[in-house]
Amino acid sequence: MYATSTHDARGMVPRGSPFDLDNEDAYCRWRDAKLAGYPQQAEALIVEVGDPRTLSDTEAHELLQQVRKTNMAVYAGATGDDPDKGILRALGRRFGLLRMDSNYLADDDGITSLTVNPQGEHPAYIPYTNRPINWHTDGYYNPLEKQIRGLILHCVHPAGEGGENRLMDPEIVYILMREENPDLVRALMRPDVMTIPPGRDSEGGERGAATGPVFSWHPGTDSLHMRYTARRRNIEWRADAETREAVACLERLLESDTPFRFATRLEAGMGLVCNNVLHDRSGFNDPPGHPPRLLYRARFFDRVAGTGLRSPG
């Protein structure tokens, strides 16, 4: 059994965990292993596969190893512009992503079609427009008991121009901030550090305010979880100097010239499997005659199986 410490925003971080801010030895061992051989270019994230619905054992192993290292992997499949949503469901089953979050405005099957949609309430939500989206993790407005831990994106049609994503591993952000000053991480682990005001829940009904930490510890897998948005409006940060300093540091890291930040563009048949890493999206245009940009998104309450520190394998 682990002894416990008191720095987790939702419970007790065990003293044997690298995420205990008082355990420097465990942290340093984990940090050194994490950074050893860490990819320096987005191309290193890509795994060539055939049909992602029927991955071979070798393909699945390569994707899982990449997610274990960086919390994300990009697959380049041979399905082209096949619009079958079964691709996401099959990938989810293969990697233990089973509990899907059917978010507001998702399709009837719970998978979201990310495309420019002028109908109904869609234009009020940036993912259904061609405008850029700032840094965030998915579901940052969800209550703590419904955090999004796994995410799959699949591209059917890329944009004619633009639509690139930048990606960054939350564990790397944690390391960079802890190396600068552990108190920055401590501030972002407070249970009341970030509040999203009331809005719509996954069924379209009214939800209350969502208050919680940026960094938190998941006891089932001894893993780090992050909820964050860089939005300026409709967000309330804890009003103290420590929080302001921590948020400023985080914003600076995300926009710094670091080799740990990856830029990629998903083409037809490509997709992202990840533990809800930080990501953004550039604006895009679909010229006349070009198929509208269409990506499918599936959000899960599960983390990719086998990627936590205490996960089997």
Side-chain angles (χ1 to χ4, degrees):
M1 294 290 291
Y2 284 130
T4 56
S5 182
T6 57
H7 296 298
D8 176 48
R10 295 183 60 192
M12 305 291 281
V13 178
R15 292 195 184 279
S17 171
F19 307 117
D20 172 17
L21 291 169
D22 290 334
N23 192 332
E24 193 66 13
D25 289 343
Y27 163 70
C28 288
R29 289 193 300 271
W30 169 79
R31 175 203 62 198
D32 293 347
K34 175 78 176 181
L35 296 179
Y38 197 88
Q40 301 292 296
Q41 295 181 343
E43 290 74 16
L45 302 177
I46 299 175
V47 176
E48 299 282 345
V49 304
D51 188 336
R53 289 166 292 207
T54 56
L55 293 174
S56 70
D57 290 343
T58 297
E59 292 168 342
H61 176 75
E62 290 180 0
L63 285 167
L64 180 58
Q65 289 299 99
Q66 188 60 64
V67 178
R68 282 176 174 166
K69 187 64 178 179
T70 63
N71 280 303
M72 59 186 129
V74 174
Y75 62 85
T79 56
D81 60 0
D82 184 344
D84 180 17
K85 291 183 179 178
I87 292 172
L88 289 86
R89 289 189 288 271
L91 282 167
R93 289 192 297 271
R94 190 65 186 263
F95 293 107
L97 302 175
L98 304 175
R99 297 178 299 151
M100 188 182 298
D101 175 32
S102 181
N103 57 275
Y104 182 53
L105 297 181
D107 300 342
D108 291 341
D109 58 6
I111 295 173
T112 302
S113 296
L114 297 176
T115 191
V116 175
N117 188 337
Q119 303 299 317
E121 295 187 58
H122 289 85
Y125 296 87
I126 294 180
Y128 306 101
T129 73
N130 64 356
R131 302 198 301 274
I133 303 175
N134 211 338
W135 286 104
H136 66 287
T137 59
D138 269 39
Y140 57 84
Y141 40 76
N142 279 17
L144 297 186
E145 66 274 13
K146 292 186 176 181
Q147 287 297 287
I148 304 303
R149 302 187 186 276
L151 175 69
I152 299 176
L153 291 176
H154 178 79
C155 180
V156 179
H157 294 297
E161 303 168 348
E164 297 88 0
N165 297 107
R166 294 185 299 176
L167 309 167
M168 198 161 179
D169 183 348
E171 291 180 355
I172 290 293
V173 175
Y174 175 93
I175 289 172
L176 295 176
M177 295 189 72
R178 184 163 172 171
E179 291 295 303
E180 182 165 334
N181 183 351
D183 286 338
L184 298 174
V185 175
R186 198 182 309 274
L188 295 184
M189 294 186 82
R190 290 170 175 164
D192 60 349
V193 70
M194 188 177 83
T195 296
I196 308 300
R200 293 289 185 92
D201 63 19
S202 61
E203 286 77 40
E206 296 297 322
R207 62 160 175 79
T211 298
V214 171
F215 291 123
S216 60
W217 172 74
H218 184 236
T221 56
D222 193 5
S223 60
L224 185 75
H225 176 65
M226 188 175 188
R227 62 183 284 268
Y228 173 72
T229 174
R231 65 192 296 178
R232 300 290 184 179
R233 300 173 58 188
N234 297 324
I235 180 172
E236 300 170 5
W237 290 101
R238 178 173 166 141
D240 57 45
E242 293 85 359
T243 299
R244 288 192 292 272
E245 182 181 1
V247 172
C249 175
L250 177 52
E251 291 174 346
R252 185 173 67 252
L253 285 174
L254 291 174
E255 296 302 333
S256 66
D257 186 16
T258 172
F260 297 116
R261 188 185 67 200
F262 305 117
T264 187
R265 176 181 140 113
L266 298 180
E267 303 294 339
M270 295 179 67
L272 171 72
V273 178
C274 71
N275 287 323
N276 198 7
V277 297
L278 287 154
H279 55 286
D280 70 359
R281 186 193 75 191
S282 68
F284 65 90
N285 290 298
D286 290 322
H290 188 279
R293 181 183 189 267
L294 173 60
L295 270 70
Y296 293 142
R297 181 187 68 198
R299 293 169 164 173
F300 300 90
F301 300 126
D302 310 294
R303 181 181 174 90
V304 174
T307 61
L309 297 184
R310 285 210 300 267
S311 297

